[in-house]
Amino acid sequence: MSPRLATMRTSPEQQVEAFRSPSPWWRSAVVYQVYLRSFADSNGDGIGDLAGLRSRLPYLSWLGVDALWINPHYPSGGADGGYDIADYRAVDPDYGDVADLEALVADARRLGLKVVLDVVPNHTSDQHPWFQAALTDPDSPEASRYHFAPASEEPPNNWQSLFGGPAWSRTPDGRWYLHLFAPEQPDLNWRDPAVAADFEKTLRFWLDRGVSGFRVDVAYGLFKDAELRDNPGKYSPTLFGHGPEQAMTWNQPEVHDVWRRWREICDEYPDTMIVGEVCLADPQEVALYSRPDEMHQSFCFRLLKSGWDTEAFADGVRSALDAFGAVGAPVSWVLGNHDKDRQVTRFGGGALGTARARAAALLMLSLPGSAYLYAGDELGLPQAVVPDEAKTDPIFFRSGGARAGRDGCRIPMPWNDADGVGFSPDGAADPWLPIPTDWSGYAVSTQTRDGGSMLTLYRRALALRAAHPALGSGEATVETAGDVLTVHCAGDDETVRCVVNMGTETVLVRTTGTVLLASSTSVRQSAGTIALPANTAAWISED
């Protein structure tokens, strides 16, 4: 057990009370992640924008999600897909303006959809006015808002950038500055009170415009070791996130007070929430960020980072339910996002990867808690191959091409089978990333006409999840038998089993229940048994 569990500020009685409270929307919401630049282009410049997203809101309502999370929309230096922000209280002109965002929020509300924004408190753009002032004058108040070190032959310590290479770069006058990501993303110094005060203004600015909360980038960052001591181990994060080898750069105890303050601010605005990106190896440490007085949720990346394996998936589900249950928080399940290869490709590619992605979708949507869907996963999009000359991701460049980067999961959405797949108006500029020639086969218009498509599966699953409270809101228990993973989801009036065959042969599942939905049309039910093919999942109502 993590030693920090002993320092939790919430008592067991408070944790139980959190479960008993009326369930707010975010505890079981299905949230659709929109990579804004790639979703829908309204003006023909080849870049997705707020007006384009606004025009596609009816699609999200039709699909059946509860909320949308928009990746950064702010003015940016363009070094890391918008995660290098130059102005936190504005909209990048490529995407529109603040009035466009307000109109989007209003339209979404009329459709019953919540809007969640991305916020990036760990670092800014090097084009941010604070950093520019700090470069000009080392003694300026703005300089204390970043991590600078005096000129020397070697960097101040052994810290490494997540994008490759040292985490320190030189200023023109020879000083060192810290960037745990790209050099264009200098890390903020959260020990300066001016940083916290400015971010509180940012939260209120957007909450006053009707947004329903924030996804917090690098929520386990912000504070660093005050003495800038070396990390104890070589930079080699574990499969599931950072561990003790990065003890000086991540997960400092002071960061939890930031989330307590942000929670207080959100509590002033009804029905709002915060979900954090917490990439730590220990699920108990991740769950601490979702204690009742901190963030409402913190992402669980276990399924996102697990291979297609029965025990790996079972352990991912059990460990998350145990860790988050201990603090009275729902689990926020993730199978895909803008930082990882597409599910279809991760699970083997082609027909095999597609079958597994379909089964994984039913598993995730059955689990208690919220589910985060990445735009395009409902279409079964594979990871696209992007030519080197078209790549934009700093990971590719910082690694000297050794790492492919994340462009392949950020390709524009295919809406129809016309030239340009409906991403932009006719006669538009080339899209910001090249669209594969076979993308029209995955288009929304094509899949809505196909009763067996991935899109149809997602829509049916979301409708059933809404109609059967045991799915998404029930009490879950997990068991395995060989290659079969079963999750029993118990509601007040019904139990639904999600059975996943992760093996290579058809298995017979004994049941007297009814199949609500299966990920394959090849599932067959006869008296007392269901024949479940390999790489297939089924929801079975037992009552």
Side-chain angles (χ1 to χ4, degrees), residues 385-427:
V385 177
V386 179
D388 287 355
E389 61 272 16
K391 289 179 177 176
T392 66
D393 190 354
I395 289 178
F396 174 75
F397 298 103
R398 290 277 293 174
S399 68
R403 297 165 66 187
R406 300 160 293 178
D407 294 299
C409 67
R410 301 175 177 183
I411 302 298
M413 277 277 286
W415 293 100
N416 59 44
D417 56 7
D419 290 343
V421 298
F423 170 67
S424 298
D426 292 342

Side-chain angles (χ1 to χ4, degrees), residues 14-70:
Q14 288 175 303
Q15 295 162 29
V16 170
E17 182 59 30
F19 277 120
R20 290 176 177 168
S21 300
S23 183
W25 68 271
W26 44 266
R27 291 192 73 92
S28 59
V30 177
V31 183
Y32 187 94
Q33 179 191 352
V34 174
Y35 197 79
L36 185 58
R37 200 171 187 85
S38 294
F39 198 66
D41 167 23
S42 71
N43 60 9
D45 63 0
I47 297 170
D49 49 46
L50 290 170
L53 170 56
R54 186 181 173 196
S55 73
R56 297 294 186 181
L57 288 176
Y59 165 75
L60 299 182
S61 177
W62 170 86
L63 182 60
V65 300
D66 302 300
L68 57 148
W69 147 35
I70 307 172

Side-chain angles (χ1 to χ4, degrees), residues 374-386:
Y374 180 42
D377 278 352
E378 81 277 18
L379 304 179
L381 295 181
Q383 185 79 357
V385 177
V386 179

Side-chain angles (χ1 to χ4, degrees), residues 4 122 147 156-160 162 167-168 178 180 187-189 191 220-235 242-255 280 289:
R4 296 192 187 186
N122 182 73
H147 296 274
N157 56 35
N158 68 351
W159 297 357
Q160 296 291 298
L162 267 66
W168 296 91
L178 177 67
L180 290 173
D187 278 45
L188 286 163
N189 175 19
R191 299 184 192 281
Y220 59 107
L222 283 68
F223 284 88
K224 285 78 181 174
D225 178 65
E227 299 176 26
L228 302 182
R229 291 173 290 181
D230 280 355
N231 270 317
K234 184 179 178 182
Y235 174 60
H242 300 283
E245 79 287 341
Q246 297 286 289
M248 301 302 166
T249 42
W250 307 113
N251 198 31
Q252 303 300 302
E254 299 93 331
V255 75
L280 299 174
Y289 285 74

Side-chain angles (χ1 to χ4, degrees), residues 86-102:
D87 185 348
Y88 288 82
R89 298 190 283 276
V91 171
D92 192 308
D94 281 346
Y95 302 138
D97 56 27
V98 172
D100 288 317
L101 193 138
E102 290 174 328

